[in-house]
Amino acid sequence: DIPPPLYGPAADYYEDWPIDPICIPGYVKVGEECEECPRNTYCPAKVDLVKQCPPPLASRLATRDVKGCWCPPGTEGSQSDVTNLKPVCNTCPVDTYCPGPTYTKICHSKDLDVCMKYPYVEDPWPGRAHACPANSGTMGQEGQSTCICDPGTRHEHDENEDNNELGFRCEKCDAGSYCFQGNQVSCGLHEWSEAGSSSVDHCVCWEGYERVDGVCEISCVAEPGH
């Protein structure tokens, strides 16, 4: 998602550019190399210029302008004075997530401007809270940068951008298992549970078995000759 760092003949931008590379916005010249602009800063010009994001905003590597600085993970912007650069970031509400600029999911767009703002492509600067997807939440906690599947549901990988931006969905836990915080765990030997179970306590012994020292053992043994 980070653009090529150089302008110049080697990059086939313009034939009349000098041999020495000139860094594109988002990169800064260090010696003879163009290096990514550090996190929490932005590099707006093709010169040795690094500017700090206005507090409390943060940014990812290779940020090109101040609009690439967003409220940190777990916070959302409530207002912003673009002229005076005095953004305000508040705690993300319960059952919403605020990923911030350090979001790691891969951007599949071919549009550089889209990818440099991802996942806040359509959001007003400096960021807003996103509702947790179906069957997930924040377990009553504020200030979260992601969501957790509800008890009784499992974490299922999902790259469909139309569903949500987190890259997963929460599906009902399979029978014979239990699910907590998105993880599905199988019940023990000779145990079963109903679909949607959320605790190991929901795993019960098969018919004809009983729990002995935490293990389900056969309880009905036929007498010889029967």
Side-chain angles (χ1 to χ4, degrees):
D1 296 338
I2 297 177
L6 307 176
Y7 283 136
D12 294 328
Y13 282 94
Y14 301 100
E15 293 181 356
D16 59 346
W17 279 60
I19 294 177
D20 291 337
I22 300 175
C23 301
I24 65 172
Y27 287 76
V28 61
K29 191 76 173 293
V30 178
E32 298 300 318
E33 302 293 333
C34 289
E35 296 186 357
E36 300 161 342
C37 196
R39 288 184 175 87
N40 304 326
T41 66
Y42 62 101
C43 301
K46 308 184 197 77
V47 293
D48 185 10
L49 179 63
V50 179
K51 291 189 175 182
Q52 193 73 30
C53 287
L57 302 188
S59 70
R60 68 182 71 188
L61 292 171
T63 295
R64 299 180 297 174
D65 57 55
V66 70
K67 289 296 186 68
C69 299
W70 297 85
C71 287
T75 63
E76 64 169 338
S78 62
Q79 65 184 46
S80 136
D81 186 329
V82 178
T83 302
N84 296 319
L85 297 180
K86 294 181 179 179
V88 176
C89 298
N90 293 324
T91 302
C92 203
V94 172
D95 291 336
T96 66
Y97 68 99
C98 302
T102 56
Y103 196 62
T104 57
K105 188 182 173 189
I106 296 174
C107 176
H108 296 290
S109 174
K110 295 182 180 179
D111 187 329
L112 177 60
D113 288 331
V114 168
C115 285
M116 290 306 290
K117 288 185 66 178
Y118 196 76
Y120 290 129
V121 179
E122 302 295 335
D123 287 6
W125 186 76
R128 66 173 174 81
H130 291 210
C132 286
N135 302 318
S136 72
T138 60
M139 301 184 72
Q141 300 297 310
E142 297 179 325
Q144 301 302 299
S145 60
T146 189
C147 301
I148 299 173
C149 289
D150 293 337
T153 65
R154 69 176 188 278
H155 185 121
E156 190 75 21
H157 183 72
D158 184 3
E159 287 290 347
N160 187 347
E161 296 290 344
D162 294 332
N163 290 342
N164 64 79
E165 296 162 332
L166 286 175
F168 68 86
R169 63 182 185 275
C170 299
E171 298 286 351
K172 191 174 186 178
C173 199
D174 295 334
S177 63
Y178 62 94
C179 297
F180 186 71
Q181 295 188 353
N183 298 311
Q184 179 167 289
V185 181
S186 297
C187 291
L189 187 64
H190 308 309
E191 294 180 349
W192 72 280
S193 67
E194 295 183 353
S197 294
S198 60
S199 168
V200 65
D201 294 335
H202 297 159
C203 297
V204 297
C205 295
W206 293 353
E207 185 177 355
Y209 286 76
E210 61 181 350
R211 194 173 298 280
V212 179
D213 295 330
V215 178
C216 291
E217 296 184 352
I218 194 166
S219 59
C220 180
V221 179
E223 296 180 2
H226 291 270

